[in-house]
Amino acid sequence: MRQEELKDAEQMRGAQVQDGGAKSVGAPRTLLPGQTTIGVLGGGQLGRMMALDGIAMGYRFVALDPAADAPCGQVTPQITAAYNDRDAARELAQRADVITYEFENVDAGVAALLTEQSYVPQGSALLYTTQHRLREKAAIEAAGVPVAPYRKVGSLAELTAAAAELGLPCVLKTATGGYDGKGQAVIRQQDELEAAFRQVVPGAAEGAEAPELVLEKFVKFQCEISVIAARSASGEVKSFPPAENIHVNNILHLSIVPARVAEEIRQRACELAERLVTGLDAVGLLAVEMFVTEDGELFVNELAPRPHNSGHYTMDACATSQFEQHIRAICNLPLGDTSLLTPVVMVNVLGQHLDGVIGRTGQADGAAGKLGVAPKLHIYGKTESKTGRKMGHINLLCKDTGDGLSWVEQTNLWRN
């Protein structure tokens, strides 16, 4: 790793220790059900599923979200305000005993304010780190975990030089924002550099300075897997079994568990995820996405300090769901058993699939009976259905993941 990046990573670690201070990691509090209100910064489906599990345990919730009918707000009280509204953040701090966030692209300044005025075991330093791909990669390397080769890019000229150093193909990404394939472009040939630069930085003229970008060497991988690791406020660590992830149009389509890789790779993936969640002093969940190469090497792709789409399988297939585990971690309860109870295939329900999926719920499912598959439907309560938008998911419990995959094919709902 380059010296300036090592320095940045050391500064981040120092900031994280200071950020935790007496309020979070330095002095963990055990918050029991029946006595505790959990504030959630963000009111989307992750907050909703977290609240549903937490309510079953005896916790109360309040969410902050700008949407009047947010998914989480349908099941909990909600403060309807912008994420950068400082007065709303203060109200959240007053109404909650502990605060968490359900997605990482929240205002880091608000997260820091909440850390000062309330109990935020996760702090704001890890949020600051994972909001920026360059900071994130430096932190991963500082923890002794491999990432694919990359370069910082700020102009077309720097992109050209970086591509020459790394070799093609590469992937150009914005350093901040972007999800489900947005804010990135794959570059396979030299003559695609300028078009990729203009795609990721719309309107940029040749030679103009751009927002910070990162160019990543394209890793030829056999598959992508992810591990959800949890760390409690007192430092207990556990990880869930790795999921094998399949994307369509840069959006997660399927998660298959157990992942179809060697047991040694699954164990190593869990070890790397646990090393990261410990090395980053994380509290709560950390989702770690990794590439598995044909030679069995593992490279971390991205982190998410929250519940993750690829961990939804845990809701029906594990002894403890990722959402219950997150609550246990931030409230400093003993972490739950992460054992896999049954093979499972999780399939996302996008806007274009929603009507067909809902329509099937009122019909006998011959394919499920024939294949021995038990579909478990989860709908998120979003008010507007759009093509490509995640509206729900189905966990297919099965004796063999091949049967779950066959069910997806035979229902013919995911053809578009």
Side-chain angles (χ1 to χ4, degrees):
M1 183 163 55
R2 292 164 288 284
Q3 289 299 314
E4 63 270 21
E5 289 162 352
L6 277 168
K7 183 178 179 181
D8 287 345
E10 290 168 359
Q11 289 174 344
M12 283 187 290
R13 280 189 171 186
Q16 204 160 355
V17 171
Q18 291 179 348
D19 179 61
K23 293 185 178 180
S24 57
V25 179
R29 305 176 189 175
T30 299
L31 301 168
L32 299 175
Q35 309 171 16
T36 301
T37 297
I38 299 174
V40 184
L41 192 55
Q45 68 263 26
L46 299 179
R48 176 191 179 101
M49 291 183 277
M50 188 192 307
L52 289 171
D53 267 17
I55 290 168
M57 297 171 69
Y59 289 97
R60 295 177 181 268
F61 284 79
V62 57
L64 171 60
D65 194 277
D69 192 28
C72 189
Q74 295 169 13
V75 299
T76 71
Q78 179 183 325
I79 300 166
T80 305
Y83 293 126
N84 60 359
D85 186 323
R86 303 299 175 97
D87 290 335
R90 292 186 182 94
E91 181 182 351
L92 183 68
Q94 291 171 358
R95 294 174 62 177
D97 300 298
V98 58
I99 292 175
T100 186
Y101 42 83
E102 62 122 31
F103 72 115
E104 63 267 42
N105 290 323
V106 298
D107 187 283
V110 166
L113 181 151
L114 290 171
T115 301
E116 295 172 1
Q117 300 196 1
S118 184
Y119 177 52
V120 187
Q122 293 162 280
S124 61
L126 184 56
L127 183 67
Y128 173 81
T129 298
T130 56
Q131 283 179 336
H132 193 284
R133 288 187 171 91
L134 289 165
R135 291 195 293 261
E136 179 178 278
K137 289 178 183 297
I140 294 169
E141 290 181 299
V145 176
V147 298
Y150 67 96
R151 295 291 184 274
K152 176 182 175 181
V153 171
S155 66
L156 179 58
E158 289 183 3
L159 171 61
T160 302
E165 286 184 33
L166 294 176
L168 298 178
C170 283
V171 184
L172 181 65
K173 299 179 180 179
T174 54
T176 59
Y179 62 95
D180 289 345
K182 299 177 178 66
Q184 61 182 263
V186 178
I187 305 168
R188 295 180 174 83
Q189 299 179 11
Q190 187 75 18
D191 59 7
E192 296 175 349
L193 289 170
E194 183 172 350
F197 182 74
R198 294 183 185 278
Q199 176 185 329
V200 176
V201 189
E206 185 174 355
E209 289 296 316
E212 281 189 304
L213 307 172
V214 57
L215 185 69
E216 299 175 1
K217 175 72 174 174
F218 190 86
V219 175
K220 188 175 181 181
F221 58 91
Q222 173 186 336
C223 65
E224 179 189 296
I225 63 175
S226 58
V227 175
I228 312 295
R231 181 175 178 269
S232 72
S234 60
E236 182 185 9
V237 173
K238 288 187 178 181
S239 58
F240 288 94
E244 177 186 349
N245 300 321
I246 297 175
H247 294 77
V248 175
N249 297 326
N250 295 310
I251 301 174
L252 181 62
H253 173 44
L254 297 168
S255 289
I256 303 165
V257 187
R260 297 173 298 184
V261 295
E263 176 61 24
E264 185 273 331
I265 292 175
R266 292 199 290 261
Q267 290 179 1
R268 187 151 38 94
C270 288
E271 290 168 3
L272 291 179
E274 291 176 11
R275 185 188 304 174
L276 279 170
V277 77
T278 301
L280 295 172
D281 291 322
V283 174
L285 298 186
L286 184 69
V288 184
E289 299 179 10
M290 310 179 201
F291 295 129
V292 182
T293 70
E294 294 176 349
D295 296 332
E297 292 185 277
L298 291 171
F299 291 98
V300 171
N301 179 30
E302 289 185 345
L303 305 178
R306 53 166 173 78
H308 194 261
N309 193 175
S310 67
H312 289 349
Y313 78 88
T314 63
M315 296 171 72
D316 299 295
C318 287
T320 305
S321 79
Q322 65 166 339
F323 300 101
E324 178 185 338
Q325 195 78 306
H326 183 73
I327 292 165
R328 287 180 168 276
I330 64 170
C331 292
N332 203 36
L333 304 183
L335 295 182
D337 181 3
T338 58
S339 299
L340 186 69
L341 303 178
T342 174
V344 58
V345 174
M346 189 283 298
V347 57
N348 271 329
V349 176
L350 306 183
Q352 63 267 36
H353 312 134
L354 185 62
D355 288 344
V357 165
I358 290 177
R360 284 184 62 89
T361 61
Q363 305 171 11
D365 193 335
K370 182 179 179 180
L371 293 165
V373 170
K376 301 294 183 179
L377 176 63
H378 300 267
I379 298 295
Y380 301 152
K382 295 181 179 179
T383 55
E384 186 178 4
S385 178
K386 296 180 181 179
T387 297
R389 189 182 193 196
K390 295 169 184 173
M391 303 301 295
H393 70 273
I394 300 174
N395 285 331
L396 300 160
L397 309 184
C398 44
K399 294 180 180 178
D400 184 274
T401 55
D403 296 329
L405 294 171
S406 295
W407 185 91
V408 174
E409 291 181 7
Q410 290 182 26
T411 55
N412 207 29
L413 291 171
W414 285 271
R415 62 189 179 280
N416 51 18

